[in-house]
Amino acid sequence: MRPVTSTLIWIAVVLFAIGLYLSWTAGRLDRLHARIDAARAALDAQLLRRASVAQELATAGVLDPAASIVLYEAAHAARQAEEEQREVAESELSQALRAVFGEAQQVEVVREAPGGEDAANELAQAVRRVPMARRFHNDAVRAARALRRHRKVRWFRLAGHAPFPLAFEMDDEPPTALADRAGS
């Protein structure tokens, strides 16, 4: 009778340890998903800020009419884009910003306008923060994907019904003239 009791106790201890480990893994995965949600919210805020500043600058009358139209339409499209088209619209805004502010001379024109110094600084900060926010988001996605690929997570369905995390891929290279300005 004694060996049976001892065996049952060891089985219970092992099952408890496995349950504890699976619970810890599920908690870790849940924290990663929460981190993804927070990083996505921060990325959305930075993208919205960049589009808003670009749109304000386009309507301020400090740019030539062609540049204003290009910048306004790209910023408006980025703000109004559906989720499926968001990456493309944000990439097009990045391209429009590089086209309009490709040369330091254009940034100087904006700076010389009334209130232009603040607008140029705000736009420079916005275009600098978008790549950082996207990098934080994509790092969180990468970590969650790596954990979700483990057999134990798949076999025991530790991810629950959470959707598979997707990275946000876009062209976020800032215009050289604005990127130089962001550092100063």
Side-chain angles (χ1 to χ4, degrees):
M1 197 65 161
R2 194 171 247 278
V4 172
T5 305
S6 176
T7 303
L8 289 176
I9 290 173
W10 279 111
I11 290 173
V13 167
V14 167
L15 288 176
F16 179 76
I18 290 172
L20 193 62
Y21 177 70
L22 291 175
S23 175
W24 176 80
T25 303
R28 181 171 165 227
L29 190 57
D30 187 52
R31 287 188 301 277
L32 282 172
H33 282 132
R35 190 171 124 201
I36 289 171
D37 291 343
R40 180 58 188 246
L43 175 60
D44 287 342
Q46 292 304 324
L47 291 171
L48 180 62
R49 180 172 180 245
R50 180 181 77 154
S52 297
V53 171
Q55 208 167 18
E56 285 177 25
L57 198 54
T59 58
V62 296
L63 301 173
D64 65 84
S68 292
I69 290 171
V70 167
L71 195 56
Y72 180 84
E73 286 180 354
H76 181 71
R79 290 182 71 178
Q80 301 298 319
E82 296 293 325
E83 193 60 36
E84 303 84 39
Q85 298 299 317
R86 184 103 187 262
E87 293 172 350
V88 173
E90 294 294 347
S91 293
E92 289 173 354
L93 177 55
S94 295
Q95 293 165 2
L97 285 166
R98 282 197 306 272
V100 171
F101 296 105
E103 299 175 7
Q105 171 184 7
Q106 186 67 28
V107 176
E108 293 305 316
V109 169
V110 170
R111 285 184 55 223
E112 291 169 2
E117 182 71 31
D118 291 337
N121 287 339
E122 192 173 355
L123 185 60
Q125 288 176 357
V127 299
R128 189 192 68 212
R129 288 179 179 164
V130 166
M132 289 189 301
R134 188 175 75 87
R135 195 171 314 120
F136 288 140
H137 175 267
N138 288 349
D139 287 347
V141 166
R142 197 172 303 111
R145 283 179 158 185
L147 185 57
R148 286 182 71 151
R149 281 192 204 105
H150 290 147
R151 275 188 224 122
K152 66 181 174 270
V153 173
R154 291 192 320 260
W155 288 350
F156 292 101
R157 300 176 193 262
L158 298 180
H161 297 289
F164 195 74
L166 299 174
F168 194 87
E169 297 300 333
M170 64 172 271
D171 173 5
D172 60 4
E173 184 180 336
T176 307
L178 283 176
D180 293 345
R181 182 102 186 110
S184 55

